[in-house]
Each structure stands twice: as structure tokens, then as C-alpha cells.
Amino acid sequence: MHGVSSIFRACAELCAAWRKSWRIAVCSLAGYGAIFVVSSEALGAVPPSGSGGAENRGPTIWGIHRNVVIGSLVVGVIQTGLIAGLLASNSRRKRLVREQEERLRFERVLTEISADLVEASAETLDQAIGNALEKVRVMMEFQSCMLFEHVRDTQALRILYHTDPAVREAIAKRKAELQMPWICAQFEHRKAIPLVNAVNDLPADAREEQEYVRTKNIKSALIIPLHSMDGTTHGVSFCTASDYREWSEPVIAQLHALGDVLSSAVSRHRAEMELRLSEERFSKAFHASPSAMVIFRAKDETILDVNEGWERQFGYTYAEAAGRLPEELGLYRSEKERLKLARLVDAVGALRNHEVTLRTRTEREVTAILSIETIRIHDEACYIAIFHDITDQRRVEEMRQSMVHVSRLALVGELTASIAHEINQPLGAILSNAEAAEMLMESENPPLDDIRQILADIRKDDLRASQVIRHIRTLVRRAPVRLAPVQVNEVVGDVLKLLSTDAQRRGIILRSELATDAPAVPADRVHVQQVLINLVVNAMDAMKSNGSHERVVLVRTWREDRPGVAVSVRDHGHGIPEDRLPQIFESFFTTKMEGMGLGLAMARSIIEAHRGSIAARNLVDGGAMFTFTLPAESANGTANPGRSS
């Protein structure tokens, strides 16, 4: 009974000692219960005294308590293992709780940082990002935190924000760049670079990075590349100087999220600044432009803004024009013109160099070159229209055309004798043939075959006379410029044929050397004829007093190296005085006593309007030569004779 009471006393003490761990108490009671059973069996197995003779002894202390001792040792081992497991479990649970608390605290900080950056204005964003980095540095016990960008096409990192005041001063002076070729190369992989022991973990070829780590006394570092919205490669780095830091995956993920928030804020800030600068530049250009400019809504053509040039040109102020329609201001001459212009713009969303005629406030008509572009203002489709006033240019052009026409009339007047001869020849032939036919008809047996031949000759001569008259009418008629493919060789032939009678009267020979590969050029045939007639007549005039010298005018054509045709007219006259060559194409300048000084000026105007050139020079063996070129195509694909020099 003494052994049993000892066992129960030990169980009671064990339960009291480990009452905080009921699982251990249960295991202990189970162990001691087993010991009690074993001990009871041991006691029951001891034989009674006197039954076994003299050799039988009573039970020893070890025999009685042996199983109790062994059971106690087993229970002690079990208790020790359970206690060690409990301590490990408690340590792991505390670590998880601590990590969870740190994660929650970082998420709260990140939320606060995100809210601060969203609310920050362009003026306060730099301070907000600096505060965010400092807050993380203190919370994570870093030596420094930095946000940087990779300078494109270099091996340098430009520091944008830093927690070190000295570095912030360098940033303000735009002198915060680091040469980090190894890190820049690693950025291509878009992976974080954790350095537990910064000096040892950097490879041997990262010499610049190792030198920077030693200089800054950095023990551990974490560099994370970031891809910003504007395509710039940003990055964040975190450094420690007092201890070595293990960079776990959760910590890297948290700091990566912080970097993304900061990078997005920087990119958004830059986009807003670029937009603001763009709007400022646009506003300055819009209001400072000498051309009239107007912005109107695409859906209903309501005027939103006008510049000072538009106000001067059309006579309405911004206050009078804003919010109104162009037709309400009477800008269009008719509704038909407005609809035509609207269809052109709606078809392609833009317009280039379209000539329009509009009315001002005083109902004065203005001719302008109009260009329209589509823009967006506050996510609404709008048009910006630019008017370049060419009213004065058109008036000058009309005056030029009038002068060209006058010059052509004067030229035709000079050729009156030749024209009369060209018409009289077929008329005389017609008369002679008619008289011969009349005589043949009066005979008893008129020769019908001869009469038919006479009628054919009359028809041919009539066509010849009609062609001459039509040619002259074309020269004297004032018609709009019409561009069409022109074979210059044909024009040369027509002009020489027209002037042949005048040349014969003067005793001058007209010759031509025409290129067989001369291409067709876009030109106005009548204008080119006028230039050639003027040059050939001038060449014949230049040989009035050269006596028995060679009296030949040579007209040549050849293919230009650049696509086009060149034409030269050479005489064997007295040449042009060298001091007058620079003025030879000026208006009202002439070397003739009876000249008006318009012919060569008009010739230059016509050729330059066709995007060509004209020049004059004296020849070594006597005489002068005028040369002009006509390009096969102008800069925009066709010749444009509407422009003059």
C-alpha cells in the first residue's frame, strides 16, 4: 500500500506542476497508471513467507520499486520531448504572428503612401515621394532608400529620390548619376538583385558597384528593377550598414509593390507635366500665330476659341465668336459652300491647303488657304482650323496674269505681218483653186477627177487657215491656266512654223535640234508657246545689225538629268552687255528702243510658276543663249503654275 500511495502522490504533484499543459498531464497519468499496474503485479507475484523453505527471502526494495523507476524514466523522456515540441511550436507561432503583424503594418504604410501620392499635386509630389521613402527606411531599419531610373542607351543610373540629404542636394543640381554597368545589364532580366553580403555577392566584373558598396559601407542591399508606364526603366534600392539582412521572398514582394507605386507616381507626374507643358506651348503658339486660327467642336461646329489673328482677319472678338456657329457670324458665302467644306472634313478628318473664300464682319471677301486638323480637348473631338490669307497674293496673281496676257497681245501685234501671210497663203490658194474649178465646170465634158482634186486642195487650205486662226485666238484669249502633259518638241515645231514667214522676211534661218527622248511635262501649252515665241523673236531682233554674219537661230531640246526637259534658244547677234545681264529678267527693263521690258519678265514668271528655271549668258564665239527648264514633276507631284516669283 505504501507503493500505491507513493504513485498517486507523484501523479498529483505532476498534474499540479504541468497543469498548464493538459496533454502532458494526461500522458503522465497514463504512464503512472501503467507503472501502478506493473507494480501491483510485481507485488502480487511475491510468494508468502514460509511457503518456499529457508532459501526464500522477502522482496527487496529494488525489486519492489524497479518498475516504478523505469516507468518514471520513460515518462520523463516523454515529457521532455513534449515540452521541447511545445516550445518549438510556440516559437514558430510567435514568429508567424510577428511576420503577420509586420506584413499588416507594411500594407497599412503602403496604403497611406498610395493615398498621399494620389492626393499630391505636381508641386508637392516630390515631397510626398521623399516622405514615403523615409517612412519605409525608418520602419524597415534601412540605412538608405533610393528611387532611380536607367539612363537610356547608357550604363548610368540617374537618382530621382534619395533619403540622404547630401544626395538630394546633388539631385537638385542634376549631378546625381552613378555608373553601374553590371546592374544596368542585369536590368534586362527584370529580376530583383538581393545581396546579403554586398561585397562578396557582387561578381568580380562589377567593379564600379563594388567600389560604391565599399565607399558607402553597405553590408546588404536589394535592387529591384521596375517597368514604368512611359517605357522608362525605373528601380528602387534598399541598403543596410549595421547588419547583414536576409531578403526573404515576402519582403522582396512588399518592396517591389512599394517600388511600383512610386514608379507609377513618377510616370504619372511626368505625363501630367508634359501635358501641361504641351498645352502651354500650344496655347502660346495658338495665340501668337500670325495666321488666323479657330478651334471648334466637331459634332456641331460650335466655336470654342479664336486667336488674335482670327479676330483681326474676320473682325469678331473672342467674346462675340465663342459659343456661336460660323454661319451665325455669316462667314460662309452660301450654305452650299459650308456643306461642301463639312463633307470634305468629315470624309478624312482633316484638310490640307484647301482654298476657300469667306466673308468678314464687314462682308469683305477673304481668300485663304485652309488647313484643318482633329484634336481632342477634355476627351471631346474638336477641329483646329488655320487660315492663311492669300487675298493679296491672288490679286497680284490676277495682275500678273493680266500682264502676261498684255504681253502676249503685244507679241501677237509684232507678228501681224507673219500672221497675215500665214492666212493669206491658204486664202489665195483657195481662190485660185475655185477659179480653176469654175473654168473646168464650164467645159462640155468637165474632168471630174481634176475637180475632185481641186476640192480636196481647197479643203486642205481651208483647214490650214483655220488652224492658224485658231492658234492666234488661243494666244490672244485670256483663259485660266490648264495643266496637261505637253511634248515640248511639238511646241517648238508649232512656234517655228508660226514664225517661219517672219524669219524669211528678215533673212534669218530657223533651225532645231530636238531630243528624241524628251519626256512629256505637265505645263500650260499656251504659256510655253508664249515663252518660246518671245525668246525666238528676241533672238531674231538681236541679229538686225549683224550684216553678213551667220543669221541663224538655233532651238535645242534635251533631257535633263533630273526628270524634265531643257530648251535653249541661241542667236548670233551682238550679245548682252555684261553689266546688264543681272537685270535682263526684271520688269520694265529692256535693251530695245521700242521695247516695253515685259517679255523676259513674263517669261521668267511663267517658267518659275512651272517650277522651272530660266537663265541667259553670252557665248564666246558671239551671240547669246537663253535656256529654260521644265521639270517632269513639281514638288507635290504636278507643276503648279499658280505660284509666281
Side-chain angles (χ1 to χ4, degrees), residues 239-526:
C239 302
T240 64
S242 59
D243 60 341
Y244 293 101
R245 189 73 59 92
E246 292 285 346
W247 304 103
S248 63
E249 289 298 328
V251 171
I252 294 176
Q254 290 173 351
L255 296 177
H256 197 299
L258 170 67
D260 287 336
V261 171
L262 298 178
S263 176
S264 298
V266 171
S267 298
R268 186 181 68 253
H269 172 62
R270 285 183 175 175
E272 291 174 353
M273 290 300 295
E274 289 176 1
L275 179 60
R276 180 183 298 179
L277 290 175
S278 176
E279 290 176 348
E280 290 178 357
R281 287 193 296 265
F282 172 80
S283 178
K284 290 180 180 178
F286 179 78
H287 289 286
S289 174
S291 299
M293 302 176 70
V294 58
I295 299 174
F296 56 95
R297 193 179 292 121
K299 65 180 181 181
D300 57 9
E301 300 184 9
T302 300
I303 296 175
L304 302 178
D305 197 4
V306 298
N307 71 344
E308 290 76 2
W310 191 93
E311 291 178 336
R312 288 192 301 268
Q313 182 165 329
F314 292 97
Y316 294 97
T317 64
Y318 165 78
E320 293 171 329
R324 301 180 66 183
L325 301 176
E327 53 267 33
E328 292 177 350
L329 301 177
L331 299 182
Y332 296 109
R333 293 186 298 181
S334 65
E335 179 66 12
K336 182 180 179 181
E337 290 187 358
R338 186 193 72 81
L339 293 175
K340 179 182 177 181
L341 185 61
R343 284 193 295 268
L344 288 174
V345 176
D346 292 341
V348 294
L351 205 60
R352 293 284 188 283
N353 299 328
H354 181 74
E355 186 170 321
V356 296
T357 301
L358 300 173
R359 287 177 176 170
T360 67
R361 185 170 194 165
T362 59
E363 296 189 356
R364 179 177 65 91
E365 291 190 354
V366 175
T367 303
I369 296 296
L370 172 64
S371 296
I372 296 178
E373 283 290 344
T374 303
I375 60 174
R376 298 197 70 83
I377 299 178
H378 305 304
D379 290 332
E380 186 176 27
C382 299
Y383 291 126
I384 178 170
I386 304 173
F387 300 87
H388 179 57
D389 189 358
I390 60 169
T391 306
D392 293 338
Q393 295 180 26
R394 283 291 174 261
R395 289 174 182 168
V396 171
E397 178 65 19
E398 290 176 2
M399 293 175 63
R400 188 190 70 85
Q401 293 291 346
S402 297
M403 293 178 67
V404 169
H405 185 238
V406 170
S407 174
R408 196 157 58 238
L409 291 176
L411 193 59
V412 171
E414 294 180 15
L415 301 175
T416 303
S418 297
I419 294 171
H421 179 76
E422 287 292 322
I423 295 176
N424 284 333
Q425 271 190 337
L427 291 179
I430 291 172
L431 180 59
S432 299
N433 282 322
E435 291 175 348
E438 186 178 10
M439 291 174 61
L440 293 174
M441 289 295 293
E442 291 177 353
S443 63
E444 294 183 359
N445 295 310
L448 298 181
D449 292 338
D450 292 341
I451 293 174
R452 290 191 183 95
Q453 183 63 42
I454 289 172
L455 292 176
D457 291 340
I458 291 174
R459 183 181 298 108
K460 182 178 65 174
D461 291 331
D462 177 76
L463 292 175
R464 179 182 170 188
S466 298
Q467 184 179 4
V468 172
I469 294 171
R470 187 163 52 251
H471 193 180
I472 300 304
R473 288 181 61 189
T474 302
L475 284 174
V476 300
R477 184 174 65 240
R478 183 173 181 177
V481 176
R482 288 190 177 89
L483 296 183
V486 173
Q487 289 289 346
V488 177
N489 288 350
E490 294 179 1
V491 176
V492 172
D494 292 342
V495 169
L496 295 185
K497 184 177 180 181
L498 177 65
L499 299 177
S500 60
T501 302
D502 190 27
Q504 290 175 6
R505 181 176 57 82
R506 297 179 187 225
I508 294 174
I509 300 173
L510 300 181
R511 290 179 181 171
S512 62
E513 294 179 4
L514 307 180
T516 57
D517 60 345
V521 294
D524 185 286
R525 189 183 188 91
V526 173

Side-chain angles (χ1 to χ4, degrees), residues 79-193:
Q79 288 175 344
T80 302
L82 291 174
I83 292 171
L86 178 63
L87 293 176
S89 176
N90 286 340
S91 176
R92 180 172 178 275
R93 182 173 59 82
K94 289 179 180 179
R95 187 179 74 254
L96 293 175
V97 170
R98 184 170 61 253
E99 291 177 355
Q100 180 69 14
E101 290 176 350
E102 291 176 354
R103 184 165 59 251
L104 292 175
R105 183 175 60 164
F106 187 89
E107 290 177 357
R108 285 194 298 269
V109 171
L110 185 60
T111 301
E112 293 173 0
I113 291 173
S114 300
D116 292 341
L117 294 178
V118 169
E119 295 175 358
S121 63
E123 292 75 16
T124 61
L125 182 64
D126 290 345
Q127 183 65 34
I129 293 178
N131 293 340
L133 289 175
E134 181 63 20
K135 188 179 293 185
V136 173
R137 186 192 70 79
V138 173
M139 183 182 68
M140 305 291 285
E141 298 180 355
F142 294 141
Q143 177 200 15
S144 63
C145 301
M146 175 173 65
L147 176 65
F148 57 86
E149 68 177 357
H150 177 209
V151 181
R152 189 168 298 176
D153 300 327
T154 69
Q155 296 179 332
L157 303 179
R158 180 182 296 119
I159 303 175
L160 303 178
Y161 300 93
H162 203 286
T163 54
D164 188 345
V167 179
R168 289 200 294 270
E169 292 181 5
I171 295 173
K173 298 177 182 178
R174 300 184 181 274
K175 296 181 179 180
E177 287 193 5
L178 304 174
Q179 294 297 323
M180 299 287 183
W182 182 81
I183 291 179
C184 292
Q186 300 306 306
F187 271 22
E188 297 179 359
H189 305 299
R190 303 290 183 187
K191 292 183 179 179
I193 306 173

